[in-house]
Amino acid sequence: MNKVNYAQLLAYRYLSDPKIKVVGYGGAAGGGKTGLGCEWLMRCGWAFPGTRWFVGRNNIKDSRESVLVTFDKVASYHGFKEYRFSNDGIDFRNGSRVSFLDLTYYPYKDPMFTRLGSKEYTGGWVEEAGEVHRLAVEVLKTRIGRHMNDVYRLEPKLLLTFNPAKGYLYDTFYKPHREGRMPEDTAFVQAYVYDNPFISRAYVEMLKNLKDPVLRKRLLLGEWEYEDDPSALCGYDAISDMFTNDFIDPYGAKSCSADIAGKGHDRFIALSGVGNVFRVAIDEVYSPGRQVEMQLRDLMIRDGIPRSLTVVDADGVGSFLESYLTGIKEFHGGGRPHDSRYKNLKSECAFLLADMVNNRKIKIICTPEQRERITEEFGVLKQARIDNDTSKKAIISKEEMKAILGRSPDYLDAFIMAMSFRLVSAGSVPETKVFSLHDLQQH
């Protein structure tokens, strides 16, 4: 190989291991991620004539610009000249090819990455995987091992390189690695900038001089537990566990909560719950008023949900629904809380939701794409004015959440409203109570 550090060598060994299908290589900046990927693809492409490989990033321009310079350096080190660059890839003189892939997520034009569905590759590499949608990676797993693998008896291999990031990389690589439960076909290598003896001093000094503490933790120290936000109400591991809390049984009252979207605004989200097990039952970009009414009516009938345990946001577009679906509950987020310690009803429900999440009392059933969005939205569930000990407990405004997410937190709003059925009037009791599943069934 090119000049290597120990982490790169370990990753290369995993890539050569027939039992390993997916290799994650991540950590600090300057850990040799791009060098590893270029070295691996160069060797594979030349060793196995006629094979097809790929390197993908969140857009094809970044793929070209980041890979070409490093590939040239690696090839020059080895004196390798049997290749040429094109606008969309690297062609070897033995007939092998490395294609540049655009892995941009287009939620309206191509939400399922169908453009990748007809591709066939021997193996490939996703660079800066933290910027790439989880679904793109899942689709690419189905496209490798399909071109001349049987001829050369090659196992399909997918390399992902990345800096520490919350989301699917944390769940797929770091957390299982930390807990000693990595699947047999998956490997993870933690890379640190100080492990790389060939990194320039100037680059390390630049990382040391980063002012943002989160960036310093991620890029200089390679830390995955980099978030130190005292205002965050839910721990990241607890958020991730919501989708795998299989010990929670669907037992108790059936309920529904819905966040209604107007034309050109937000999403129409409806949750169907049995006790504390929630399913995303409706997820529409926009539905006309009559269609919203019919969809909710059909959902309540299909899932056996009484109207008295159906709640909709009455502060927005959903304010008209109670006129047509008589008996459903209207949620006024700015309304009076049961417990006087909270600023309003929405804040009270949000704090209860966070408590249930952190204590692993909720299970969510949804698609992988919905999981991504829900995880992001629970990450912006933050306490407002945390340094003010005299103010009532409140969460940051929806406008602040939108500014962080770049969209409306519609799933989160639906879950917050669902908590309204789990509150009882505290009266003189010093803390908010939660219905037990039996109480909720009888209520």
Side-chain angles (χ1 to χ4, degrees):
M1 289 181 69
N2 188 13
K3 296 185 295 185
V4 297
N5 59 54
Y6 173 77
Q8 288 174 314
L9 183 60
L10 180 58
Y12 206 84
R13 286 175 178 170
Y14 284 135
L15 289 167
S16 304
D17 187 335
K19 299 190 297 295
I20 302 297
K21 304 296 189 298
V22 180
V23 177
Y25 184 89
K33 298 183 293 294
T34 308
L36 169 68
C38 289
E39 176 87 31
W40 179 58
L41 290 183
M42 186 190 74
R43 285 179 173 271
C44 289
W46 189 244
F48 305 106
T51 49
R52 295 288 182 268
W53 308 82
F54 68 80
V55 55
R57 277 190 67 166
N58 62 326
N59 65 71
I60 197 166
K61 180 175 180 291
D62 286 348
S63 294
R64 278 197 299 263
E65 292 181 354
S66 66
V67 170
L68 295 187
V69 173
T70 304
F71 193 95
D72 253 345
K73 290 180 179 178
V74 172
S76 177
Y77 177 84
H78 291 290
F80 180 69
K81 300 179 181 179
E82 303 300 312
Y83 69 97
R84 65 178 181 83
F85 294 135
S86 66
N87 286 333
D88 57 356
I90 304 171
D91 295 301
F92 293 78
R93 290 193 173 92
N94 66 355
S96 293
R97 177 174 175 77
V98 176
S99 297
F100 298 139
L101 296 186
D102 175 13
L103 301 182
T104 304
Y105 178 55
Y106 300 108
Y108 300 110
K109 185 171 69 174
D110 187 21
M112 302 303 292
F113 289 91
T114 54
R115 66 186 185 275
L116 303 176
S118 60
K119 310 292 186 182
E120 295 188 353
Y121 298 104
T122 312
W125 166 33
V126 178
E127 190 187 24
E128 297 296 347
E131 301 173 1
V132 174
H133 198 284
R134 176 201 293 260
L135 188 57
V137 175
E138 294 303 312
V139 172
L140 287 173
K141 287 180 181 178
T142 71
R143 311 319 304 164
I144 58 176
R146 302 173 67 94
H147 187 81
M148 299 188 73
N149 294 74
D150 53 343
V151 174
Y152 294 110
R153 297 182 179 179
L154 293 174
E155 295 293 332
K157 298 282 182 180
L158 181 64
L159 170 66
L160 286 81
T161 56
F162 40 78
N163 295 121
K166 301 298 185 183
Y168 73 93
L169 296 175
Y170 183 97
D171 297 336
T172 303
F173 295 106
Y174 176 74
K175 187 178 180 183
H177 175 76
R178 182 191 66 191
E179 297 174 354
R181 54 177 182 83
M182 186 71 73
E184 292 184 357
D185 65 349
T186 305
F188 170 64
V189 178
Q190 172 73 47
Y192 297 100
V193 66
Y194 295 110
D195 290 339
N196 187 354
F198 313 107
I199 195 72
S200 72
R201 281 189 175 184
Y203 187 74
V204 174
E205 287 302 314
M206 183 273 292
L207 294 176
K208 287 182 178 179
N209 290 329
L210 288 171
K211 303 301 183 185
D212 188 297
V214 170
L215 284 178
R216 279 178 53 84
K217 288 180 179 180
R218 289 182 62 238
L219 303 183
L220 175 64
L221 304 177
E223 292 185 9
W224 289 79
E225 309 292 352
Y226 54 80
E227 286 187 341
D228 187 20
D229 184 354
S231 68
L233 293 182
C234 298
Y236 184 80
D237 281 349
I239 294 172
S240 298
D241 287 342
M242 293 191 299
F243 308 97
T244 56
N245 285 335
D246 297 330
F247 52 85
I248 300 177
D249 294 323
Y251 171 76
K254 296 179 178 180
S255 63
C256 173
S257 59
D259 187 57
I260 314 301
K263 188 172 183 179
H265 300 85
D266 311 340
R267 299 173 82 92
F268 170 25
I269 304 296
L271 306 176
S272 177
V274 182
N276 293 331
V277 177
F278 297 91
R279 175 175 59 88
V280 179
I282 300 174
D283 186 348
E284 303 282 351
V285 175
Y286 165 69
S287 295
R290 178 62 177 167
Q291 186 174 329
V292 168
E293 176 196 342
M294 294 305 298
Q295 285 179 294
L296 278 179
R297 188 189 303 271
D298 290 345
L299 172 60
M300 288 186 287
I301 293 172
R302 183 178 67 247
D303 289 4
I305 302 171
R307 292 195 180 185
S308 62
L309 287 177
T310 297
V311 60
V312 299
D313 182 8
D315 293 329
V317 183
S319 58
F320 72 91
L321 276 174
E322 203 279 334
S323 302
Y324 300 97
L325 298 174
T326 308
I328 66 173
K329 304 297 184 183
E330 294 184 332
F331 186 86
H332 296 277
R336 183 178 178 180
H338 294 74
D339 187 329
S340 61
R341 294 176 302 163
Y342 296 94
K343 179 182 179 181
N344 51 38
L345 178 61
K346 184 173 184 179
S347 293
E348 183 178 25
C349 287
F351 274 82
L352 174 56
L353 174 62
D355 181 73
M356 295 186 71
V357 171
N358 291 328
N359 286 286
R360 275 66 172 184
K361 293 181 178 180
I362 285 178
K363 180 182 177 182
I364 299 175
I365 301 170
C366 62
T367 68
E369 180 183 358
Q370 290 166 341
R371 173 175 175 165
E372 288 287 321
R373 297 176 74 92
I374 292 170
T375 298
E376 290 175 354
E377 292 183 16
F378 271 77
V380 299
L381 185 55
K382 299 174 184 288
Q383 182 173 350
R385 301 183 299 278
I386 191 170
D387 296 326
N388 189 335
D389 296 331
T390 62
S391 64
K392 293 188 175 184
K393 289 186 177 182
I395 58 173
I396 63 174
S397 68
K398 191 167 184 175
E399 287 66 32
E400 290 176 273
M401 293 182 181
K402 285 182 178 180
I404 297 171
L405 289 169
R407 65 172 191 276
S408 178
D410 302 311
Y411 299 92
L412 177 61
D413 283 344
F415 279 102
I416 289 175
M417 285 189 285
M419 295 300 106
S420 62
F421 296 126
R422 288 154 178 82
L423 294 173
V424 294
S425 181
S428 59
V429 180
E431 58 182 338
T432 298
K433 300 290 187 181
V434 184
F435 282 133
S436 70
L437 292 178
H438 177 74
D439 292 335
L440 186 56
Q441 182 71 63
Q442 300 299 318
H443 186 66

